Amino acid sequence: MSYTSRDLVGCSNAAHSLKLYRRADLRDDESDESLIEKLYVDPLQNDGVLKTILKPNTTFIVGRKGTGKSTIFLRAQHGLRAKQGNVTAYVDIKTVYEAAEVDPTALNAIRKAGVAADDDTVQKILLHQAFIRAVLRDIQSELQKSLEQDTFKKVLKALGLKKSDISAEISDLLAQGIEFSETDLSLLKEKRVTRANRHTAESEKRKNLSAGAKLSSSAALNVSASKGSRVRSEAIASADEEEATFILRTLNITGVLERLQEVLSSVGIKKLYVFIDDFSELPQQAMEVFVDSVLAPLNNWSNELVKFKIACYPNRVYLGQIDPQKIDQISLDLFRLYGETDVSTMEQKAIDFTERLLESRFQSFVRKSFSNFCEGEKDTLYRQLYYASMANPRSLGHILSNLYDNFITYGQPVTIRAIQEASGKYFADKIEPFFGLQKFAHVSFSERASIYSLKELIEEIVDRARELRDYKESAVTRGVRGRTPSSHFHVPVQLESILDTLELNFFITLYYVMKDRDGHTVNVYALNHGLCQKYGISFGRPMLSREHRLYFVERIFNYTTIIRAFLNRNQEIKCDSCAETYQLDQLPSLELFDMLCPKCKSGTCRVANLSKKYSDKLKEVDKELLLPRTELGILETLFSEARDMVASELAGELDCSYQLIGRRGRKLSDQRLVIRDRNSGNRRIFRLSKEAEEGYFTDNKERGLNVDVDSA
C-alpha cells in the first residue's frame, strides 16, 4: 500500500491525540481553536456519560489511567461554559498538594499559643491547612479566568462593572476566609490536652476489657470484642473529627461560600462546578482530610452553589460523610461500563466505542477512514484492536503509534499480525518494566516487598496460562483447533482486592462478573493482550457454539488455589508495636478488635505482603539509589523513549503536571541522574545521564517477568 505525506502526518497526529495526557487540550494547528467538541467520543451511545456528568450533582468519575476522565472533564467544562449561569473551575489536586508548604506565620502563632512546634499532630494539621488554602487559591484563579469569557463581559458591561471589580471581591473574600486565628490554636491546645487525658483513661479501660485474652486459638480473640472495638473506634473518630473541625473553623469555608454566592449572583452565576483531577493520587490521609473538611461539608450543605466533579481510580475512592445516594458515580472501566447483560454484548459495545473513537480521529486528522490503512475483515480487525487496548483510549493511542512507526511509515497495511506485534511492543515498553524500578522506590522495605510479591503472583498466573495452552481434556477445549485460549481466568469476588494493583497497572483487566459452573459469583480477569503475545498465550475464547459463552468459567481457569497459596506463602500479620505475628486464619477475629494486638493490647496488627522469592534482591539495593515514585517515573520514561524530552512530554507519560516535572527534574539534575539542557528553540529539555542508566537500568533483570520464553 502507498500513503501520501498528508496521510502519514495525519495518522501520526491521530495517534498522538489519543496519547495526550489529562489536561492537554485538542486544538487546531491552523486556527488554534479547541477541537474538543468535534473530537469528543462518548464511551456510551447518545453521549450517555457526558449527559450524566453535566447534571447539577456531585459526580465521581472512576477509571484507570487513560480511560478518558480528563477528556470528559474538558468536554463537560466546554458544555457548561456555554450555558448562562454556570462557571467552572479545574483543580489539579495532586500538584496543589505537593506544592503546599507549611506557613511559617502559622508556626510562630503556634509557639505563642504554647503548642510545641515539633508536635506531629500540629504539623500535620498545618500541612493539610496549607493544602486546602492552595485548593481555594486554585479555584480563585480559575474563577477569574472564567470572567474573561464574552458571556460575563456582557453581563458586567450591562451592570456597569469591571472584571477587576469582581476579581478584587473574590481575592478579598478568599484572603479573609483563610486568615489564621490564634484563638483557634488555643482551642486546639485545650482540646488536645483533654483528648490526651481521655485517651489515657480509655487505654487503661481497653487493657482491662482484653485482660486474659490468650493467643492459643482465634476464638480467644473474640473476648469483649464489641466493647474494645467501640472504644478504639471512638478514639480514632475523635482525632479525625478534631482535625477536620479545626480546619473548617480556621478557613471558614462555608462563610466564604455564602459570600462568594452573593458575588457570583451579582453577575448572574448560579452554579460553580469544581473539577477535581488526580484525586486518587493523594496520600490516603490527605484524601480523607480534604473530603472530611472541604468536600463533604460543601456537598452536604443545603446551599446548591457548588457541585464537584471528581476523577479517581477504582478502589481508591473515599466518601467520608458524603451520602452515596446523593451523588452520581460513573465507571469507565470495561465491565462496569458495558457489562450489563452478557459477555458478547459487553464486547460488542466496547468494540463499537473503539471503532467510533478511531474513525473520529482519522476523519478529523487524515480526512479518511481508518479502514483505508487496513487489510483484512473490518470486524475482525476492530475486535483485535479492542483486545489490544481493552477500549482504553490512551492504550489505543500507544498501539496506533507503534503501528505507525513499524508498519504504516513503511507502506505496510494494518493487519491482525501487525496489531499483535504493536500490542506486544506496548506491553514490553510501557507495562512490563513496572517492577524493575519499584525496587528503587523510596518507601519502606515492607512496601517494596508487597509490590514485589505481586510480581511473583503474576508470574505464577502466566506460568499456569502457558501450561493450559495444550490442555484438551474437557469437552469444551477438545473441540478447539490449535492452542487452547488461556488468556482469561476467574477467582471468587472476595479476592478482588488482592489483584487491584495488578489491574491498576494493566497487567490484568477485570473482564466480567458471572456465575461459575457451581453457581458461585466470580470475577473473570483477562491477561494483558501484549503480555499474551510476548509469552505465547492465545487470547480470547472460541465462539463457534453456545457452550463457549461460559468458556471463561471452565473449572480449569479457576485460579483460586494459586491466589490462596500465594497468600499463605507471602502474607504476614504483625503487630506494629510488639512485633507479634499471627496466622492468616486469625484475621477475621483480629478485625473484630479493629486489629488491636491481643498480646500488647496497644499496638495495631497490620497485614503485609512479603515477597519471599525476591526479598534478597530487594535487600541488595543500595539505599542511596532509592527515589520517590515520580522521580523513578521520569527516569523510566527517559530510558524507554531514548531521546531528549520536554516537561510536557514527560508529564503526558506520567499523567501529572509539567510543573511537577520541572520541580522534580531539578532535583534529579542536582543528583546527576538527569541532564537539564536547552534545545534549539530554547525550551528546557531533559535526558537520562550515564550514571542513571548504569545505576537503574543496566543488568536490571527485574524489568521483565521471570517466565521462560520458548519457541512458542
Side-chain angles (χ1 to χ4, degrees), residues 25-29 31-40 364-365:
D25 204 351
L26 298 165
R27 310 196 75 81
D28 186 278
D29 289 338
S31 65
D32 197 40
E33 292 182 357
S34 175
L35 297 173
I36 186 62
E37 187 171 3
K38 179 181 180 181
L39 291 181
Y40 176 76
S364 178
F365 289 103

Side-chain angles (χ1 to χ4, degrees), residues 40 61 64-73 332 392-394:
Y40 176 76
I61 183 166
R64 294 185 292 179
K65 292 181 180 179
T67 47
K69 298 184 296 295
S70 296
T71 301
I72 294 170
F73 272 11
L332 298 180
N392 181 296
R394 192 178 303 162

Side-chain angles (χ1 to χ4, degrees), residues 106-124:
L107 286 174
N108 292 331
I110 288 176
R111 294 190 182 98
K112 291 179 181 179
V115 180
D118 60 349
D119 186 295
D120 288 342
T121 302
V122 176
Q123 291 279 7
K124 181 182 70 172

